């Protein structure tokens, strides 16, 4: 927005939260790359959020030409994926000299940070959830038979969201506002966890990607803890954000904080919590990790337990497996690309979302 930044040449340009410029076609990314500077530095907690092309975008800012054009880079990555051993070694060797990486778990950097344990909390589906889910699978299979291109991609994305809503609670899909806990395997699992957390007088953060779920979840948690907690989402006024953080950080403050993943996933210090619950899974492990880091950060004095809710036998279990594969690839090269769901062929897509009845029941 500040055109004057482009009217002079700078000695050093430092790009903080550089992952916000991972989309080469965005106006912001284009504007940043037009600023002249003798030296450039990019700071990012999640340098690759979606796929390996994010890495190209960052290096196109840092060292234009090092990784070639976007088209050439895609061809290069495709050729690497066909290698039998140590697939991404050539790319890793190319970019490693330009990367200084520190890990929060490195004791030489932070020697007093407690432990973080991540657990997958498997949930079943209620009868109404299973019926809704199976009906949606049948609908999708019929709907995509004769669709192609952008219409097909749009429909697939819509149904992927619908499957996640069903896994959360039937009322989220129906929009009836009832949210009977007995109709959702996740609500029943949440009640079990809250009983244990409340008995130890500990606090929790609960993340959901759906703003409309924040109020029903907060109402349910109020019943479990016997006192109200806090909510934060994209509609929360800026002045209220910090006030609510301070309320939660008070040792005698509310026992829980329900946050939408997008609004509460970064920039907040919530170290009073020793439990983090991801009520619904996001496709991107980097986004989940950023949210978890609201509690697992400098200033945390307790061990942190991270509970990731997954409905067995549904797309959530299969997405969990994809996330684990992507995380393993990240160890090899910061982050890796996973197959784009909207580009799968019909048979592979329906196999991905299909309901496994044996696993799904509560």
């Amino acid at each position: 927005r500040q055109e004057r930044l482009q009217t002079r040449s700078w000695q050093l340009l430092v790009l903080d939260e550089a992952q916000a410029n991972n989309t080469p076609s965005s106006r912001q990314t284009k504007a940043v790359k037009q600023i002249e500077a003798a030296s450039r530095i990019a700071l990012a907690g999640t340098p690759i959020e979606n796929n390996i092309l994010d890495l190209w975008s960052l290096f196109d800012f840092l060292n234009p030409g090092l990784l070639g054009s976007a088209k050439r880079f895609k061809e290069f990555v495709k050729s690497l994926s066909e290698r039998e051993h140590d697939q991404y070694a050539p790319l890793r060797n190319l970019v490693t000299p330009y990367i200084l990486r520190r890990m929060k778990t490195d004791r030489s950097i932070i020697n007093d940070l407690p432990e973080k344990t991540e657990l997958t909390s498997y949930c079943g589906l209620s009868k109404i959830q299973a019926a809704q889910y199976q009906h949606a699978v049948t609908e999708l299979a019929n709907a995509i038979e004769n669709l192609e291109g952008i219409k097909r991609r749009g429909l697939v994305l819509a149904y992927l969201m619908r499957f996640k809503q069903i896994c959360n609670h039937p009322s989220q899909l129906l929009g009836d506002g009832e949210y009977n806990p007995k109709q959702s395997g996740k609500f029943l699992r949440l009640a079990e966890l809250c009983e244990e957390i409340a008995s130890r007088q500990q606090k929790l953060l609960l993340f959901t990607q759906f703003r409309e779920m924040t109020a029903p979840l907060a109402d349910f948690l109020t019943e479990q803890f016997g006192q109200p907690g806090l909510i934060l989402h994209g509609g929360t006024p800026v002045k209220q954000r910090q006030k609510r953080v301070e309320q939660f950080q008070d040792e005698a403050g509310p026992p829980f904080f329900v946050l939408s993943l997008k609004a509460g996933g970064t920039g907040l210090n919530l170290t009073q919590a020793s439990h983090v619950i991801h009520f619904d899974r996001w496709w991107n492990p980097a986004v989940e990790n950023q949210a978890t880091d609201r509690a697992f950060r400098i200033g945390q004095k307790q061990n942190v337990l991270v509970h990731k809710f997954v409905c067995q036998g549904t797309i959530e279990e299969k997405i969990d497996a994809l996330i684990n594969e992507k995380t393993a690839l990240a160890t090899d090269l910061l982050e890796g690309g996973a197959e784009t769901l909207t580009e799968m062929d019909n048979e592979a897509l329906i196999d991905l979302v299909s309901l496994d009845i044996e696993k799904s029941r509560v």
Side-chain angles (χ1 to χ4, degrees):
R1 292 193 299 268
Q2 304 294 331
E3 292 183 5
R4 61 187 175 83
L5 295 177
Q6 298 179 1
T7 62
R8 60 178 296 179
S9 180
W10 303 85
Q11 290 185 9
L12 176 64
L13 173 59
V14 182
L15 192 61
D16 195 15
E17 299 294 350
Q19 69 274 7
N21 295 273
N22 281 350
T23 305
S25 59
S26 72
R27 290 177 60 192
Q28 175 173 294
T29 302
K30 289 178 179 178
V32 164
K33 291 178 180 179
Q34 288 172 1
I35 298 175
E36 291 187 16
S39 301
R40 294 180 172 188
I41 296 173
L43 305 175
T46 52
I48 302 173
E49 290 194 325
N50 297 305
N51 55 57
I52 292 183
L53 193 60
D54 292 347
L55 187 68
W56 178 88
S57 185
L58 282 183
F59 271 88
D60 192 45
F61 162 78
L62 288 169
N63 200 337
L66 179 71
L67 300 182
S69 66
K71 181 180 179 182
R72 177 70 188 91
F73 182 70
K74 288 179 182 178
E75 294 171 352
F76 176 54
V77 169
K78 184 178 180 180
S79 70
L80 294 182
S81 67
E82 296 169 355
R83 287 161 51 95
E84 290 187 10
H85 305 290
D86 206 3
Q87 292 177 317
Y88 294 99
L91 179 56
R92 183 175 62 240
N93 294 338
L94 194 59
V95 300
T96 295
Y98 301 93
I99 298 175
L100 293 172
R101 195 180 190 203
R102 73 166 196 170
M103 302 295 289
K104 189 180 296 183
T105 50
D106 186 344
R107 294 293 175 181
S108 66
I109 296 172
I110 307 172
N111 59 16
D112 61 348
L113 197 64
E115 297 295 324
K116 176 181 72 171
T117 303
E118 299 191 357
L119 305 169
T120 301
S121 290
Y122 289 107
C123 312
L125 295 180
S126 66
K127 289 183 178 180
I128 185 172
Q129 281 178 300
Q132 278 184 331
Y133 195 102
Q134 189 57 57
H135 180 68
V137 171
T138 303
E139 276 189 344
L140 176 60
N142 293 331
I144 62 174
E145 276 189 8
N146 300 311
L147 282 182
E148 294 181 356
I150 193 168
K151 287 186 177 180
R152 182 183 182 279
R153 287 194 291 271
L155 184 73
V156 170
L157 287 173
Y159 268 88
L160 291 175
M161 197 65 70
R162 187 174 299 183
F163 291 129
K164 295 182 74 174
Q165 290 174 326
I166 293 169
C167 289
N168 280 352
H169 197 290
S171 290
Q172 188 182 358
L173 181 67
L174 298 173
D176 59 18
E178 291 187 7
Y179 288 96
N180 181 343
K182 294 180 180 179
Q183 292 183 348
S184 167
K186 285 188 178 181
F187 272 67
L188 295 176
R189 181 73 185 100
L190 184 58
E192 294 172 354
L193 273 179
C194 287
E195 183 178 358
E196 185 177 342
I197 294 169
S199 69
R200 298 180 180 181
Q201 296 185 314
Q202 295 173 326
K203 295 190 179 190
L204 73 86
L205 306 180
L206 188 151
F207 288 97
T208 173
Q209 74 173 99
F210 299 101
R211 175 174 169 176
E212 68 266 23
M213 284 298 298
T214 55
L217 285 167
D219 290 342
F220 181 67
L221 290 174
T222 298
E223 294 179 14
Q224 304 308 308
F225 283 94
Q227 58 179 303
L230 300 164
I231 297 176
L232 188 147
H233 51 61
T236 306
V238 175
K239 291 183 180 179
Q240 282 292 319
R241 283 174 63 97
Q242 188 54 39
K243 184 177 180 181
R244 292 179 192 184
V245 168
E246 291 170 359
Q247 284 179 269
F248 186 79
Q249 286 293 89
D250 185 334
E251 192 172 336
F256 67 85
F257 207 152
V258 179
L259 309 101
S260 69
L261 193 61
K262 189 172 182 180
T266 57
L268 302 177
N269 186 357
L270 300 167
T271 51
Q272 276 292 320
S274 56
H275 292 264
V276 177
I277 297 175
H278 292 285
F279 192 75
D280 38 62
R281 307 297 305 281
W282 188 240
W283 321 112
N284 188 340
V287 173
E288 282 192 352
N289 291 339
Q290 278 192 322
T292 297
D293 285 352
R294 299 314 95 216
F296 186 65
R297 60 196 297 115
I298 295 173
Q300 178 58 265
K301 304 300 181 186
Q302 309 170 78
N303 290 338
V304 177
L305 271 176
V306 184
H307 312 268
K308 300 178 179 182
F309 280 17
V310 172
C311 282
Q312 286 184 289
T314 73
I315 188 175
E316 287 196 333
E317 189 171 30
K318 294 161 188 177
I319 289 298
D320 183 56
L322 285 176
I323 289 174
N324 290 335
E325 290 175 14
K326 187 174 180 183
T327 302
L329 187 56
T331 304
D332 188 27
L333 178 70
L334 292 182
E335 284 280 357
E339 184 174 6
T340 305
L341 299 178
T342 58
E343 304 306 319
M344 288 182 177
D345 63 42
N346 290 358
E347 185 178 350
L349 178 68
I350 296 304
D351 181 62
L352 178 74
V353 302
S354 290
L355 182 64
D356 185 334
I357 296 295
E358 297 304 318
K359 289 184 177 180
S360 65
R361 294 296 174 87
V362 172

